[in-house]
Amino acid sequence: MSSMSYLAVVERYHQYRDALGELLSSILTGMGDTQLLTAGNARHKAMNCVVTHYPFVELLYVLDADGKQITHNIAAGHAAQSSDSGEGRDRSMRPYYVQAKAHGGVSITEPYLSSASNILCVSAILPLTDPESGEQRYIVLDIDLTGAIEFMMGDHARRRFLPVFKLIYSIIVLGLAAVTGVLLYAAFGELIALRDVGDNTAELHLKPFGVIIFLTLALAIFDLGKTILEEEVLMHKDIFRHSSTRRTITRFIAAILIAVSIEALLLMFKSALGVTHEMVEAVWMMFAAVGLLVGLGLYVYLGARAEALLTAGARR
């Protein structure tokens, strides 16, 4: 459950683009007062108020008519880690200034990489006239695009607990790895014990099955731990997308399916070697494996169909 990749953020941005634009316009219009052009205290107060309600807002500053920054950055979030005050920088070539100069009114950029925080951001800019000098000024507001998308999806609060979730999942993975190690130790112990079988043909035929059983269980548990590590710790998992949950369940069931199939085959091989009383259990296990496979296929098919229908409905 790592943070969203840039591709995922941009994809979600296109989904929420109109709503995000309206939100930014309302924020900037609501805070757009000529006092922000001259009074530093007013800018700090406005920024603190906005960040309280919209934690994805990161920067507030003012440009002159030529696109030169005439105030210090008032920063929050990732941008607060930057030591650059920004005052005096020429921003006349930045996309938000170019848009505001061409169209007037509130302008909102497409996503771009912020020079202050080095993350994807979107800027909103509002032109105002300085009542003292009569010159044109521009109030610029930068937001963390990832944070804004999470906010609009209602996922901001859950993201705060991600470090705790990752820690718990990591502990579980370590436990599964320890169990895998114990099973491997038992398997190689059984393998070494084959030296003491001697001329006992029946035991020589059956003894390797114990090794295979331990190895199969180790494989299944290791695969389960690997799935948890990848899905819940290392990879980004979009809980709002059905395919993410379907992928996790598919990998989990596939690991169980492999283990059950191998155990069923082992029981059948043992029956072929004379342990016939386990043939019924082997057949039932094979039926269980087939049932799991059919059920998994239906789940994947119906889940994909449902997601396609929901996606098509959302685009209308």
Side-chain angles (χ1 to χ4, degrees):
M1 293 188 297
S2 62
S3 299
M4 284 191 285
S5 66
Y6 283 173
L7 289 177
V9 172
V10 172
E11 182 182 0
R12 285 294 185 181
Y13 165 76
H14 288 293
Q15 182 178 351
Y16 290 95
R17 180 176 181 175
D18 294 339
L20 182 60
E22 293 176 4
L23 178 61
L24 290 181
S25 295
S26 66
I27 293 173
L28 197 53
T29 302
M31 67 184 297
D33 190 284
T34 54
Q35 289 186 352
L36 301 180
L37 302 178
T38 56
N41 291 336
R43 289 193 295 273
H44 280 282
K45 183 177 179 180
M47 184 65 167
N48 291 335
C49 181
V50 169
V51 171
T52 300
H53 296 90
Y54 306 103
F56 51 84
V57 175
E58 298 217 324
L59 276 180
L60 173 67
Y61 50 92
V62 179
L63 307 180
D64 65 12
D66 298 322
K68 184 177 181 180
Q69 185 170 334
I70 57 176
T71 66
H72 290 289
N73 289 332
I74 302 178
H78 297 90
Q81 301 173 8
S82 174
S83 58
D84 183 12
S85 69
E87 186 174 10
R89 295 188 62 179
D90 182 10
R91 302 187 184 275
S92 59
M93 299 303 294
R94 304 299 284 176
Y96 44 85
Y97 176 78
V98 174
Q99 286 184 227
K101 197 76 172 176
H103 304 293
V106 177
S107 298
I108 299 172
T109 67
E110 294 293 313
Y112 68 94
L113 194 65
S114 170
S115 59
S117 58
N118 295 319
I119 60 174
L120 276 182
C121 76
V122 168
S123 293
I125 184 169
L126 173 68
L128 290 175
T129 302
D130 189 339
E132 297 180 0
S133 63
E135 295 181 356
Q136 185 84 317
R137 298 286 186 262
Y138 298 92
I139 299 176
V140 183
L141 201 66
D142 289 356
I143 67 164
D144 170 14
L145 182 57
T146 302
I149 296 298
E150 292 173 354
F151 180 86
M152 300 193 73
M153 295 171 64
D155 197 33
H156 181 74
R158 184 186 68 87
R159 286 282 167 182
R160 297 177 181 175
F161 292 92
L162 275 184
V164 179
F165 296 157
K166 287 186 177 182
L167 176 62
I168 294 174
Y169 278 120
S170 298
I171 293 173
I172 292 173
V173 170
L174 289 176
L176 292 173
V179 173
T180 302
V182 172
L183 290 171
L184 289 175
Y185 176 80
F188 284 104
E190 287 285 314
L191 188 61
I192 294 173
L194 287 174
R195 297 180 305 176
D196 303 326
V197 172
D199 297 330
N200 190 337
T201 306
E203 189 173 357
L204 182 61
H205 287 166
L206 295 177
K207 198 73 173 177
F209 287 100
V211 179
I212 297 175
I213 289 172
F214 283 126
L215 289 176
T216 303
L217 291 174
L219 171 64
I221 294 175
F222 174 78
D223 201 24
L224 175 60
K226 176 173 172 289
T227 298
I228 294 175
L229 180 65
E230 292 176 343
E231 295 286 339
E232 307 296 348
V233 179
L234 301 180
M235 297 173 59
H236 166 66
K237 184 176 181 180
D238 188 350
I239 64 172
F240 295 93
R241 193 183 298 279
H242 297 278
S243 57
S244 296
T245 303
R246 191 168 64 249
R247 181 188 66 207
T248 303
I249 294 177
T250 300
R251 295 186 64 183
F252 178 74
I253 297 298
I256 296 176
L257 178 60
I258 292 172
V260 171
S261 300
I262 293 176
E263 294 298 330
L265 288 173
L266 288 176
L267 289 178
M268 288 187 171
F269 292 154
K270 290 175 69 176
S271 300
L273 293 174
V275 188
T276 56
H277 65 277
E278 294 182 343
M279 175 61 78
V280 177
E281 288 82 356
V283 172
W284 281 114
M285 287 187 70
M286 189 58 72
F287 275 124
V290 172
L292 280 172
L293 184 59
V294 172
L296 180 62
L298 287 174
Y299 171 77
V300 172
Y301 173 75
L302 294 176
R305 286 292 302 274
E307 183 175 9
L309 291 174
L310 289 173
T311 303
R315 291 175 179 173
R316 293 176 182 174

